[in-house]
Amino acid sequence: MNWRIFIKRIIAFTLAVVCVGYAWYVFKQQYGEQTASPQALQKQKSPVARPAAKPSFASTRPTTKPVRKPVVARAEPRASTEPVEREGRDMYHPPDPGNPFRMGRATRHIDGPTDTVRAVAISSDKKKLVVGGNDRTVRLFDFATGKELRHFEGHTAFILGVGFSPDASRIISCGEDHTIRVWDANTGEQIALLEEHQDDVIAAQFLSDPNLAVSASADGTARIWDIDKETTVKKIDYERRVCSMAVCLPQNLLVLGTHVGDVYLWDLKTRTQIRQLERVPSCIHSLVLSGDGKRLAILPVMMPFRIVDVATGKTLFVEAEDQWERVWCAALTSDGQTLALGRGFQVIFYNLQNFTRCKTYLNPNGFAQAMCFVPDGPLFVTAGGGMLTKNGEWMRPWEDMIQIWNLPQPLP
């Protein structure tokens, strides 16, 4: 072999060994020998000087301060499986200060709930207001002053319905924990726990007898309850999801709506079905009966609402297709002449005397989830806050969740 070629190979091999060794040294310096995090190494390199601790001396001065009790840490609750909440704003109905028919400010608001309100009711004497919602707490307020009188805790999931007994001495509530609870409004004591439903209880209401109540559930049933005995008196089973319920106590009427669009009318006195109304090809999200029991508002999820004559079952009015927008909650005056529709961040009104839409509409600060007219007066209550988005998350409320409005009479 030529000695020149041999020397070149030795030089090339030596250079290769040097390069590999240097690469291995760099690798070990960066990855192989690091035992602490970069933050820890940085702290070691630049320690923070701390002031020397002052010597402590036993004080002989007498003290009047009580001995501080030891603080006991509470166990953190288990992570909730319910939808989380996020901030949100009304992107569908931006404010329009130039619109003379927009009532942008409520007369007053009531503070108390810490989360979205899903149900609201006012007593027959107009002195008390009760609400319930996502904070799983039933709250009772003095309607005139807005002061919280007491709250009732016991529900383990979102509350979907609340109501007063005719004499306002009892409160009923129901929710996603599949239970119905009856409370003493004066003492705060839980009187009864009704738990025969197998799914969310979407509504519950007292009957004329304060010991009787009616409820509807997503398990496909409605039940009439004996509260003192905590037992079912009458079970109505349609074997399909019941989504809405309405009651008219003066006329002893019960109306139930299902997810397939069936609407059933019942006589609560005889506990028999009167008739089945014409099917609507959509889930019945809400039902509202007038105080005289003559008119029924049917509000499907994906179709315009309609007004039905209860006595004949005939449809009196159907909303125009070009004005349709999904309704989340509704309320009807006791005389059945004015209908309020909660369409998210906006509340609109219909005059049912001539079946025309009123020019007055409201823009609550949050997403309207429940509402009611104050009997025989101009006051109107909206409640809500957040909303359930398409991805299953609750949009967090950011403003007043209970608002009281003084409506002009008649509505323009």
Side-chain angles (χ1 to χ4, degrees):
M1 178 184 295
N2 191 342
W3 61 274
R4 292 181 179 179
I5 298 177
F6 179 76
I7 292 175
K8 290 181 179 180
R9 290 182 177 179
I10 291 176
I11 294 173
F13 178 79
T14 303
L15 291 175
V17 171
V18 171
C19 292
V20 171
Y22 181 77
W24 176 250
Y25 172 79
V26 174
F27 177 82
K28 289 186 66 177
Q29 287 293 324
Q30 293 187 358
Y31 302 102
E33 297 180 356
Q34 184 174 350
T35 58
S37 62
Q39 293 82 356
L41 292 175
Q42 184 65 26
K43 290 182 179 179
Q44 292 177 4
K45 292 180 181 179
S46 57
V48 179
R50 297 183 179 179
K54 296 181 179 180
S56 58
F57 301 96
S59 176
T60 58
R61 181 182 298 177
T63 179
T64 58
K65 293 182 179 180
V67 179
R68 181 175 296 179
K69 297 181 180 180
V71 178
V72 179
R74 296 183 180 180
E76 290 292 331
R78 296 178 60 184
S80 174
T81 58
E82 295 175 351
V84 299
E85 298 200 353
R86 298 187 181 278
E87 296 287 346
R89 294 194 180 281
D90 181 4
M91 298 173 290
Y92 305 101
H93 305 99
D96 183 9
N99 190 330
F101 300 105
R102 172 181 174 270
M103 303 178 63
R105 291 185 179 273
T107 307
R108 60 190 176 95
H109 67 270
I110 296 177
D111 294 325
T114 59
D115 213 328
T116 299
V117 177
R118 306 281 294 280
V120 61
I122 190 168
S123 60
S124 56
D125 58 6
K126 299 182 283 187
K127 294 182 178 181
K128 297 176 182 178
L129 182 77
V130 63
V131 301
N134 289 7
D135 61 3
R136 305 169 186 82
T137 303
V138 179
R139 300 179 187 273
L140 178 65
F141 296 93
D142 182 286
F143 183 67
T145 64
K147 179 182 178 182
E148 182 173 322
L149 302 177
R150 58 181 48 87
H151 59 271
F152 312 88
E153 297 181 347
H155 282 284
T156 58
F158 294 167
I159 296 172
L160 302 179
V162 294
F164 282 101
S165 61
D167 59 1
S169 64
R170 291 182 172 186
I171 294 173
I172 193 168
S173 60
C174 61
E176 293 183 0
D177 58 1
H178 307 176
T179 69
I180 304 164
R181 299 170 190 264
V182 181
W183 317 84
D184 189 303
N186 299 316
T187 65
E189 177 187 1
Q190 180 174 296
I191 299 173
L193 173 61
L194 314 176
E195 46 186 356
E196 294 182 21
H197 282 298
Q198 304 302 312
D199 207 332
D200 298 352
V201 185
I202 53 101
Q205 188 170 333
F206 286 102
L207 301 185
S208 300
D209 183 347
N211 188 48
L212 295 178
V214 60
S215 65
S217 170
D219 64 5
T221 68
R223 295 172 183 266
I224 299 177
W225 301 86
D226 184 304
I227 296 175
D228 291 341
K229 297 180 180 179
E230 298 185 355
T231 57
T232 299
V233 177
K234 171 72 175 181
K235 179 181 178 182
I236 303 170
D237 193 350
Y238 286 115
E239 298 183 352
R240 57 178 63 91
R241 188 181 182 90
V242 178
C243 302
S244 53
M245 182 186 86
V247 176
C248 176
L249 291 184
Q251 303 300 324
N252 290 308
L253 294 176
L254 167 68
V255 186
L256 301 171
T258 70
H259 78 287
V260 296
D262 293 326
V263 180
Y264 302 95
L265 181 65
W266 280 74
D267 187 324
L268 287 172
K269 188 173 183 179
T270 61
R271 298 172 187 172
T272 57
Q273 181 173 306
I274 299 175
R275 71 170 62 88
Q276 178 179 353
L277 301 180
E278 182 181 356
R279 171 177 285 189
V280 180
S282 176
C283 173
I284 308 299
H285 183 271
S286 299
L287 293 167
V288 189
L289 265 172
S290 62
D292 55 11
K294 295 182 179 180
R295 290 186 173 182
L296 170 68
I298 302 176
L299 301 110
V301 173
M302 300 303 296
M303 295 185 64
F305 78 90
R306 59 190 60 198
I307 305 299
V308 175
D309 183 272
V310 174
T312 63
K314 180 182 178 181
T315 299
L316 303 176
F317 172 75
V318 179
E319 183 186 27
E321 289 282 351
D322 58 350
Q323 295 184 353
W324 175 82
E325 190 176 343
R326 180 169 178 180
V327 176
W328 296 91
C329 56
L332 193 59
T333 53
S334 57
D335 59 5
Q337 299 302 317
T338 304
L339 175 68
L341 304 177
R343 288 179 163 166
F345 297 94
Q346 189 180 63
V347 179
I348 67 171
F349 298 90
Y350 267 86
N351 184 334
L352 299 187
Q353 291 179 316
N354 51 20
F355 299 108
T356 58
R357 178 172 171 174
C358 301
K359 295 181 179 180
T360 299
Y361 67 95
L362 313 181
N363 279 106
N365 291 334
F367 196 95
Q369 296 279 359
M371 59 183 62
C372 66
F373 285 96
V374 178
D376 304 322
L379 298 181
F380 179 68
V381 182
T382 60
M387 62 173 287
L388 188 64
T389 60
K390 293 181 179 180
N391 58 1
E393 295 180 343
W394 272 95
M395 181 186 295
R396 182 176 297 278
W398 58 90
E399 288 287 354
D400 307 325
M401 288 176 280
I402 306 173
Q403 295 178 288
I404 301 171
W405 310 76
N406 194 341
L407 300 179
Q409 299 293 326
L411 285 175

